[in-house]
Each structure stands twice: as C-alpha cells, then as structure tokens.
Amino acid sequence: QLPLQQRLQLARLLVALADGDKQLTAQLWNEMGFVTKSNNPYVLNKWAEFRFKGGDPHALMDELGGAGLFQENLNRLDPVVSDPSEFVMAFRMMALIRGSAIGLGDLHADSSKNWRERAIGFLAKHGEPPPQTVSGRRTDYTITKDLKLVRRSLLRRATSRNNNFGGGAAGTG
C-alpha cells in the first residue's frame, strides 16, 4: 500500500487527467518522481495519460507512430531518466481495469474519469482541496518540429522494411 502522501499525489494526478489539464498533469507527474532528460511537459503528460488515463488509444498514440512505437518515440523526444517504481502497482491496476472494460466492449475506457469523484472524496477526507484544473489546458510545448523528426524516422524505417521484403536473403530478388 502506498503511503498517504503518495496516495494524495495520485488522487491529484487523476483529477488533472480526468479534467484534461495537460499542463497540470505534466507538473504533477514530474512532482511524483517521473523525470525525463528535459522534463518536456508534452512527454510527461503523454506518459501519465498512457499509464493512468487510457481512453481513445488512437488519440493518445497515433501521432507518435501508434501502439507499437509509442513508447519508443516518446523516449526519442525526451528520454526517461527516472520512473517512480512506487506507482507501478497503481498503474498495473488501472491497466487491468481498463482491459476488463475493453473486454466488455468499452473500447474507450478512461480510468481517470472513472476514478475522479473517488479521488476528490479521498482528498477531501484528508483535508486536501482538489487541484485547480483548467479543463482542456494544453502544455506550453509545441511538438511540431520534434514530431516531424519522429515521423521522418518512422517513414525511413517503413521504407527500409519494405525494401528488405522480397529481395531475397542477399538482395538478389
């Protein structure tokens, strides 16, 4: 079981995620011990969404190459330096619950929205106000340039794979 302070941190993170406050989500996840080389708020937010939110997998992962390349490309943008192991079981629990919801036909299960009211109640029980979120606030980071580099890398990789198919072991086609 997580100590009280870490449970309070997790509750605040879930509220920020549920409210779609990407800037606050990035800040809170970083304060919880998730550190990247540059602490890029876009990357911090994406990691938190991936682990604790869920929802529409295409909206979360497609711009970074889809499910198969999502984590790899996040690390290309800003490599992970420290990943707080104390929150692994909470992340796994959320993933299992999301998986169960998907198995029952809810393909867009959003753990943070499902837990938001409980998180606010937990904070209140311990005399903590909910975080001051701004619904829909984005990070102040623009990924356009970096995303173009990642997409070029994906295109080179796909082209390379296509060139390797059908050419025979020695490329004698």
Side-chain angles (χ1 to χ4, degrees):
Q1 180 171 328
L2 288 174
L4 177 60
Q5 277 305 20
Q6 290 174 335
R7 287 183 285 155
L8 292 168
Q9 286 179 308
L10 182 58
R12 286 189 284 272
L13 178 69
L14 291 172
V15 173
L17 282 163
D19 290 353
D21 190 334
K22 295 175 185 303
Q23 186 67 38
L24 183 59
T25 295
Q27 176 190 329
L28 293 171
W29 187 220
N30 185 242
E31 289 172 3
M32 291 167 72
F34 192 88
V35 179
T36 61
K37 184 176 179 182
S38 302
N39 283 326
N40 176 312
Y42 172 87
V43 172
L44 292 168
N45 174 71
K46 282 291 190 180
W47 276 113
E49 285 183 345
F50 173 66
R51 294 204 173 160
F52 297 103
K53 183 175 176 67
D56 181 355
H58 297 291
L60 177 64
M61 296 183 209
D62 280 0
E63 73 180 345
L64 290 167
L69 297 171
F70 175 77
Q71 293 180 60
E72 177 183 335
N73 286 328
L74 272 180
N75 275 316
R76 280 187 184 159
L77 290 172
D78 191 11
V80 175
V81 173
S82 177
D83 192 348
S85 61
E86 52 269 27
F87 295 101
V88 167
M89 292 310 291
F91 157 61
R92 287 182 179 171
M93 178 210 48
M94 297 262 183
L96 288 170
I97 291 171
R98 270 195 317 269
S100 297
I102 290 168
L104 295 172
D106 184 357
L107 302 180
H108 301 283
D110 183 334
S111 299
S112 64
K113 287 185 179 175
N114 292 335
W115 287 94
R116 184 184 189 283
E117 293 308 313
R118 289 177 189 87
I120 288 175
F122 181 77
L123 290 166
K125 176 182 171 184
H126 294 283
E128 296 278 330
Q132 295 298 308
T133 61
V134 177
S135 184
R137 178 170 46 177
R138 299 187 178 281
T139 62
D140 56 7
Y141 173 75
T142 304
I143 190 170
T144 309
K145 181 181 174 188
D146 292 337
L147 192 54
K148 285 180 183 176
L149 295 175
V150 167
R151 286 185 177 146
R152 271 192 231 129
S153 173
L154 290 171
L155 184 59
R156 281 193 302 271
R157 180 184 235 176
T159 304
S160 172
R161 274 193 214 139
N162 289 340
N163 289 339
N164 290 333
F165 290 123
T172 59

